[in-house]
Amino acid sequence: NVRGKVAFLYQRLNNPGSGNRWETHVELSNDGFATAPTDLTLANVPDQNGTYAASNPIGDYAGLVSLGKHFYGAFSANNTPIAGNFPQGVTYLRNVNWATNTLLGTDGMTAVSVSIDPFFFKITDIEAADDFYVRDWTDSPSSGDNGLEPSTHPVFYATSDVWNRRGTLPGAFPNDQPENEDAGNGMGIIGDNWAFARVRRNVVAASGSVVVTAHFLVSKLGVGSNYADAGSVDPDVSFPDPDPTVTFNPADVGPFVTPAYHWHLNAVSSTHLCLAVEISTQGDPFVGPSLVGNAPGWPTTDLRVINDNNKAQRNMGLSTTPARGADASDVFYAIIHNAATIVRDMTLRIEIDRRVLERLKGARVRMVGGRDVALKPGSIITAPRMQPGENRWIGLTFSAPKGKEGDILPIHVLELVNGTVVNGFGAGARLGSIRQVIEDALKRHRSLLARLSAGFKIEGADDELAALEKLSRYGRISEAQYVRFVREQGPFLVSAVKRMLALERSGDPFKLAQALRKLAGYVGRRAAGDVAVAHSALLNAFDAYLTMLQLSNGDPADVLQNVRWQQRLFTVVPVLARVKSTPVLLEQSDRFIREYGQHRISNREYSMWVGGLMGVYEDVARARALRRLRLERDIREMVRSRGEIAPMQKAHRGFLLKLQKLDQSSRTRD
C-alpha cells in the first residue's frame, strides 16, 4: 500500500487425506518479509464442492489489490455457515441460520444445500476516525474530495485546500474553494506571506482529542521541481515559525483551517511558486518520505500527493488580464525539471477545455529554445534526453479575452510517465477590472526590481524601486499614470535586459528583446489594457530568465536528488561499483536519504557530508578506467565549496554528470 506495507494472499490444503481443510491466509509485512509477517487466517473451510458438479471446488477466484492505505480482496470458498470457519469474523449477505449451521432460501425458511460463494474482505491500515486529510480538489459546495486514496481528479493542484495569503486572515471561499493570493517577495512586510490548510476527518471518534500538525513547503512553479522547507537553508525562502496545529475533539470532523503560518519570500526569489502541506497526527502520519527534497511522482512514479490524503499541493499560476479584453497577448513560463535519477525524455500533455480555448484565441505553446506550436487539447510536448536535475522551460502564450470579472481560464500541463499523470501545473488568465490588472502588473514589476537589485546588483534598480513606491503612495493609480510610469521605465528596462543577456551566451531564449519592442509599441498607443498585458508578458519572461540564471549557480532544493542520483550510479555502473571505497559511499548515501526523509538531517549537513566522501571521490578519480573523465577539477570545486549549499550542489552535480556518461542502463524515454 502507500505506506509500503505488503499483503500476500494465498490458499492451501491442510490435513490432506485426514480431514481436508481448505485455508485462505493473508500475510502482512512492514519490512518486506525480512522478519516474520502477521498471518491472518480468513477462512478454514471443508474441502468440499457442495452442490457443484465439478470435482474441484478450488481455484474459482482469489484476488488482492491495494488502494491508498488499505487492501481489498476476494476469494471463493465453501459456504457452510459455521462461525468458527472464519476466524476474523464474517457477515453473510444471504439468509442463514447460524444456530443450526444451515443456509436458507429467499423465503428465509427453506433449507438450501452448501455450495461455493465469493467472500469479500478489506484490511484497514487506519480506522476512519483516525484518518485526517486535506482536500486535493473542490468542484462546488456539494462536490469535493472526501479523502479517498488515490485522489479521483488528475488536476489535484488547482483547487486544493492549501493556499497562500498576503495577510493573517484565511480569506473567502467562493464556491467553497480557498481564495489563493500570489506570494510577495522583498524586504520586511513586502515579502511576508501566510500559508493555510483546511483539515478534515472522515468520521467522529469515540473519545479523545487529536492534534494535527501541518508542515508547509514551497517549490518553483512547474513540474518536477523539488520542494524546500525550513531545513533546506534556501536563500530564496525562509520559514521562521514552528509548524501550526489544530485540535480535533471526538465529535469534530472539520473542516478546520490551520492558524496562519508565516513564511517569508526573499527579494532574490521569483513569486511563481508551488505551495504544499503535509499533515500528521500520532496515529495518522503522512506517508514517508516527506516531499522535502522531492517532487510528486519521484524518485519513483509514486504519485505521493494523489495517493496520500495527508498531502496536498497548489500548483497554479495566473496572469490578471482585462475583462474588457485586449489586443496584446500574455505569456507564462514554468520550469520543467527532471526529478528522476536517469536520463529520460519528459512527456507533457496539454489539457484545455475547448470552450476555454475558443476564448484564448491564438494560444500557443513551446519549449523555450524551440518553436511555437498551436495549443490543442491533448497536445503532447516532449523534452528529449533530459539529464537528472536538468531544468528547461515551457512557455504558454494566450490572448487577453473578454469576459466577466472573476473568470479564470486555465491551461493545464500534465507530466506523464507511461501514460500515467504523476504531476502537473496550471496557468492561464484571471479576468479582472483594469484597476486589478494595473495593480497586478505593478506588483510583478516591484518583484522584478527587487530581484534585479538583491540578486544581481543591477545599477539603477533601487532608484526605480523608489519611484514605484512613490507612485504607490498616491493611492489608486489612474490608467494615464500607469502608462506614463511604464514609459518612464523603458530606458531602465532596455538597459537591464542588455546587461542580463550579456551574462549568458544562450542568446535570448525568453525573447526579452521582442517583448520590449511589443511593450514599447503598446505604450505609444496609450491603451492601458494592452500596455498592462504586454507589460505582464515582459515581466513573466524576465522573471523566468532570472530564475534560469539563479539555478545555474546551484539549487539547494536538489540536494537530496544529487544524493539519490549518486547512490544509483554507484550501484548500477559496474566500474563504479568495483571501486574499493564504494561500500562506504553507498552506506552513507542510504543513511542520508533515510534520515532526510525523516527530517532528522537537512541541507545544513550536506556540504560537510559531501566533504566526508572526498576520499571516495579521489579513489574514483584515480581508477584507471575513469582517468579519462578528468574528475580532479570537479573534486577541487567541491573542496572549494565546503560550507556553502548552492555552490556545493552545483559542484557535486558537475561531478555526477561526468559519471552519468558511464551509465548505459539509463532510459532515454518514458
Side-chain angles (χ1 to χ4, degrees):
N1 64 7
V2 295
R3 290 183 167 184
K5 179 178 286 187
V6 178
F8 173 57
L9 173 68
Y10 70 92
Q11 295 178 303
R12 74 178 184 184
L13 181 66
N14 196 17
N15 296 328
S18 59
N20 286 15
R21 304 288 293 181
W22 188 246
E23 297 179 356
T24 302
H25 292 256
V26 169
E27 292 183 351
L28 301 171
S29 174
N30 286 316
D31 60 8
F33 296 93
T35 58
T38 299
D39 184 1
L40 301 177
T41 301
L42 303 182
N44 182 343
V45 300
D47 179 37
Q48 297 173 2
N49 63 344
T51 58
Y52 288 157
S55 60
N56 182 11
I58 307 309
D60 216 20
Y61 184 82
L64 179 67
V65 298
S66 64
L67 192 63
K69 300 182 181 76
H70 309 306
F71 297 99
Y72 299 83
F75 61 90
S76 297
N78 181 289
N79 61 11
T80 302
I82 299 175
N85 288 355
F86 304 94
Q88 307 304 320
V90 68
T91 299
Y92 273 40
L93 300 182
R94 61 186 299 168
N95 297 327
V96 63
N97 186 327
W98 289 101
T100 62
N101 309 129
T102 306
L103 297 172
L104 302 176
T106 56
D107 60 5
M109 299 175 59
T110 304
V112 176
S113 299
V114 170
S115 58
I116 305 297
D117 268 347
F119 290 82
F120 167 82
F121 65 94
K122 175 185 178 182
I123 300 174
T124 301
D125 209 27
I126 181 170
E127 296 299 330
D130 298 323
D131 190 9
F132 295 82
Y133 66 95
V134 179
R135 278 184 169 180
D136 286 329
W137 55 274
T138 298
D139 288 338
S140 70
S142 60
S143 175
D145 181 10
N146 63 0
L148 185 67
E149 297 170 318
S151 182
T152 58
H153 280 38
V155 177
F156 55 90
Y157 48 78
T159 58
S160 56
D161 268 2
V162 56
W163 69 100
N164 183 68
R165 300 290 293 176
R166 297 305 314 281
T168 58
L169 297 178
F173 295 88
N175 209 32
D176 200 27
Q177 298 167 347
E179 199 168 35
N180 182 69
E181 291 183 328
D182 294 337
N185 68 328
M187 299 288 290
I189 61 172
I190 297 175
D192 284 340
N193 300 276
W194 283 267
F196 296 87
R198 243 186 339 182
V199 184
R200 289 172 165 85
R201 175 162 59 184
N202 267 322
V203 299
V204 299
S207 62
S209 297
V210 178
V211 176
V212 181
T213 300
H215 184 71
F216 291 95
L217 312 92
V218 298
S219 71
K220 294 173 176 62
L221 182 64
V223 293
S225 293
N226 295 311
Y227 275 95
D229 70 353
S232 301
V233 199
D234 192 321
D236 290 359
V237 61
S238 57
F239 303 85
D241 293 348
D243 290 343
T245 63
V246 291
T247 300
F248 281 73
N249 293 315
D252 295 333
V253 294
F256 291 158
V257 176
T258 59
Y261 177 72
H262 174 222
W263 63 284
H264 188 86
L265 192 60
N266 298 323
V268 297
S269 174
S270 168
T271 59
H272 292 164
L273 298 172
C274 307
L275 179 68
V277 68
E278 299 171 331
I279 64 167
S280 58
T281 71
Q282 187 172 2
D284 183 22
F286 65 80
V287 177
S290 168
L291 281 171
V292 63
N294 291 302
W298 298 99
T300 59
T301 52
D302 54 27
L303 309 178
R304 65 182 62 197
V305 172
I306 296 177
N307 278 351
D308 185 5
N309 62 19
N310 291 54
K311 298 189 183 83
Q313 75 174 73
R314 180 170 292 272
N315 209 5
M316 190 80 177
L318 298 169
S319 287
T320 307
T321 62
R324 68 192 187 193
D327 291 336
S329 292
D330 204 346
V331 62
F332 198 95
Y333 290 97
I335 295 175
I336 308 301
H337 178 87
N338 182 11
T341 57
I342 57 173
V343 178
R344 67 187 183 108
D345 296 349
M346 285 189 66
T347 303
L348 309 172
R349 186 174 72 217
I350 309 298
E351 294 291 346
I352 181 171
D353 188 283
R354 291 191 179 276
R355 292 168 296 182
V356 172
L357 183 59
E358 289 174 2
R359 297 176 66 183
L360 299 178
K361 296 185 184 301
R364 304 184 304 281
V365 60
R366 72 181 175 104
M367 293 300 296
V368 171
R371 61 185 183 86
D372 288 12
V373 296
L375 191 150
K376 299 178 182 178
S379 296
I380 298 295
I381 306 294
T382 301
R385 291 195 57 80
M386 288 193 66
Q387 296 287 337
E390 182 182 352
N391 295 306
R392 297 183 195 175
W393 273 259
I394 187 171
L396 302 168
T397 303
F398 48 88
S399 62
K402 294 180 181 180
K404 183 177 65 175
E405 291 183 17
D407 282 355
I408 292 178
L409 306 178
I411 303 167
H412 297 288
V413 179
L414 307 177
E415 180 185 358
L416 304 180
V417 176
N418 297 325
T420 298
V421 177
V422 298
N423 203 352
F425 73 92
R430 175 174 47 204
L431 275 55
S433 67
I434 190 63
R435 178 180 62 82
Q436 292 171 322
V437 173
I438 290 173
E439 287 179 356
D440 188 67
L442 291 179
K443 286 178 182 177
R444 295 192 181 203
H445 194 91
R446 179 187 288 110
S447 170
L448 175 69
L449 293 174
R451 295 191 75 187
L452 289 172
S453 173
F456 299 92
K457 311 301 180 187
I458 294 297
E459 184 179 353
D462 285 338
D463 294 336
E464 301 302 333
L465 194 56
L468 177 55
E469 297 298 339
K470 182 179 179 180
L471 177 66
S472 299
R473 285 197 292 270
Y474 289 125
R476 182 170 178 173
I477 299 168
S478 69
E479 295 183 33
Q481 286 175 312
Y482 168 68
V483 173
R484 183 165 59 251
F485 171 79
V486 175
R487 181 189 303 111
E488 292 170 351
Q489 287 284 297
F492 169 77
L493 290 172
V494 171
S495 173
V497 166
K498 287 182 178 179
R499 290 190 59 181
M500 297 309 298
L501 290 178
L503 296 178
E504 280 286 313
R505 297 179 181 178
S506 55
D508 187 3
F510 295 94
K511 300 183 179 180
L512 298 179
Q514 182 184 90
L516 274 171
R517 289 192 299 271
K518 288 183 177 180
L519 176 59
Y522 285 116
V523 167
R525 290 161 51 181
R526 301 182 181 180
D530 284 321
V531 171
V533 174
H535 189 196
S536 176
L538 171 63
L539 295 173
N540 287 334
F542 211 160
D543 183 80
Y545 182 71
L546 296 185
T547 299
M548 184 189 77
L549 294 180
Q550 278 186 314
L551 293 178
S552 68
N553 294 318
D555 186 1
D558 284 0
V559 161
L560 183 61
Q561 184 176 356
N562 270 17
V563 180
R564 295 198 320 264
W565 183 15
Q566 173 178 273
Q567 182 189 52
R568 180 183 184 278
L569 288 173
F570 278 80
T571 300
V572 304
V573 177
V575 67
L576 295 177
R578 288 194 296 267
V579 172
K580 181 179 179 181
S581 51
T582 285
V584 174
L585 178 143
L586 292 177
E587 180 184 354
Q588 291 299 312
S589 298
D590 182 69
R591 181 183 66 83
F592 188 98
I593 294 166
R594 184 176 63 256
E595 294 187 359
Y596 200 103
Q598 298 168 345
H599 292 174
R600 293 169 57 191
I601 196 171
S602 70
N603 286 1
R604 292 183 178 88
E605 292 78 24
Y606 169 68
S607 181
M608 294 302 296
W609 181 83
V610 173
L613 292 174
M614 286 301 167
V616 180
Y617 300 148
E618 289 168 356
D619 287 348
V620 172
R622 286 192 294 265
R624 180 176 300 177
L626 300 173
R627 290 175 186 170
R628 60 186 174 84
L629 296 179
R630 299 181 179 179
L631 298 168
E632 293 81 6
R633 179 179 177 181
D634 302 278
I635 293 173
R636 288 194 299 270
E637 195 62 37
M638 285 190 282
V639 171
R640 281 194 292 268
S641 300
R642 280 189 181 182
E644 300 180 272
I645 298 173
M648 178 61 85
Q649 188 275 331
K650 177 183 178 181
H652 189 199
R653 183 173 187 272
F655 178 77
L656 297 175
L657 275 173
K658 288 186 176 179
L659 298 183
Q660 178 65 47
K661 298 175 183 177
L662 306 169
D663 182 15
Q664 300 301 314
S665 65
S666 188
R667 295 180 296 143
T668 59
R669 65 180 185 276
D670 289 339

